[in-house]
Amino acid sequence: MKIIMLGAPGAGKGTQAKKIAAKYDIPHISTGDIFRANIKNNTELGQKAKTYMDKGELVPDSLVVDLIMDRFKEADCANGYVLDGFPRTIPQAEALDEALKASGAKVDFAIDVEVPDENIINRMGGRRACVGCGATYHVEFNPPKQADVCDTCGQKLILRDDDKPETVKNRLNVYHEQTQPLIDYYQNAGVLKQVDGTKDMNDVFTDIVDILSK
Ligand code: ADP
Ligand code: AMP
């Protein structure tokens, strides 16, 4: 099963993608997480990506597409995957389609998690990310057991630099300009499914499982 998560930054793509990956035993592939791991390890790719990410801009398509194509070659992708944060532009979606077509495959579901911009600012301002394992929390909606400490690995939780309000505004603009057109793209491909992302995260997941079971 090949699934794409669509939606604004902070809509809950990662939260739902992790649940989907666990239930269907497929890898959760987040391009944002891959970039953050590269930044942490101070790789050349990480240094390049950081200059864009810090400003809330998209990393150039060529860098992202090469990275994801390499990831698809890994053995765990044999039975599909759930993509979180990729594709984010029409050229990225076209590159994905071409790569899949070459192996006789296609995207099965593009799940758009719909959340209005007003809610996004609060979602991202309250998001906390673990510096160790990358797990995410929300101070109000999904708090850790102990404030600022990861339940899973015990390391520190931080507010991501790009979740600060001034950057969030730019990320939302970038989303509307460059990523939202993918909704029509996948609608035309007949694989778009929309869910109400303002519901409780467990209810959003129930709606997604309903869609994937049909
Ligand atoms: P994305 O991957 O789309 O950027 P996340 O999954 O990281 O978004 O979610 C953004 C923030 O909102 C996180 O702090 C997460 O815990 C919280 N969150 C996710 N889904 C919901 C929901 N349905 N209701 C309330 N908060 C949510
Ligand atoms: P995310 O963790 O998905 O919110 O991504 C964080 C940041 O990483 C984005 O704001 C972009 O700067 C960069 N990024 C992640 N995925 C992509 C992508 N598919 N295309 C371009 N930039 C990306």
Side-chain angles (χ1 to χ4, degrees):
M1 191 151 51
K2 296 185 176 62
I3 305 167
I4 290 172
M5 302 304 294
L6 295 176
K13 300 181 297 296
T15 301
Q16 299 302 327
K18 285 188 186 94
K19 288 172 177 282
I20 295 170
K23 182 171 172 73
Y24 295 95
D25 196 21
I26 49 177
H28 162 214
I29 303 178
S30 154
T31 39
D33 283 353
I34 298 174
F35 287 134
R36 280 183 289 277
N38 274 274
I39 292 171
K40 196 173 164 190
N41 295 327
N42 203 21
T43 66
E44 202 183 320
L45 175 67
Q47 286 171 9
K48 278 189 196 156
K50 190 173 180 342
T51 59
Y52 299 95
M53 290 169 74
D54 282 351
K55 288 183 273 184
E57 286 167 12
L58 296 185
V59 175
D61 289 337
S62 56
L63 286 182
V64 189
V65 169
D66 285 353
L67 171 109
I68 202 94
M69 294 304 155
D70 277 349
R71 180 66 184 84
F72 289 159
K73 291 179 194 147
E74 289 179 35
D76 64 344
C77 291
N79 294 325
Y81 35 72
V82 51
L83 299 182
D84 160 17
F86 180 91
R88 255 182 163 100
T89 64
I90 296 279
Q92 290 181 18
E94 289 171 345
L96 174 63
D97 277 352
E98 257 181 49
L100 290 176
K101 216 191 305 170
S103 58
K106 65 172 194 54
V107 169
D108 297 303
F109 297 96
I111 299 175
D112 176 31
V113 183
E114 293 185 296
V115 175
D117 286 7
E118 313 74 277
N119 303 33
I120 292 293
I121 308 283
N122 184 21
R123 287 270 181 104
M124 291 168 93
R127 174 159 63 182
R128 295 291 178 272
C130 174
V131 294
C133 68
T136 50
Y137 299 84
H138 191 282
V139 290
E140 185 183 345
F141 307 123
N142 180 27
K145 291 192 183 84
Q146 190 186 334
D148 299 327
V149 178
C150 180
D151 291 351
T152 314
C153 74
Q155 293 209 46
K156 200 171 79 166
L157 304 182
I158 55 152
L159 173 68
R160 269 166 49 180
D161 278 343
D162 62 347
D163 281 350
K164 294 183 177 151
E166 56 282 12
T167 316
V168 169
K169 270 200 192 148
N170 193 32
R171 292 174 72 195
L172 274 172
N173 288 338
V174 167
Y175 166 74
H176 290 302
E177 275 169 29
Q178 300 191 54
T179 308
Q180 210 169 13
L182 293 179
I183 293 176
D184 281 348
Y185 182 94
Y186 286 108
Q187 174 89 61
N188 292 336
V191 293
L192 182 77
K193 304 285 172 190
Q194 292 182 297
V195 292
D196 177 357
T198 63
K199 292 185 183 176
D200 174 272
M201 49 188 91
N202 293 319
D203 295 335
V204 178
F205 186 56
T206 304
D207 291 349
I208 292 177
V209 171
D210 268 359
I211 289 166
L212 299 180
S213 329
K214 279 179 188 147

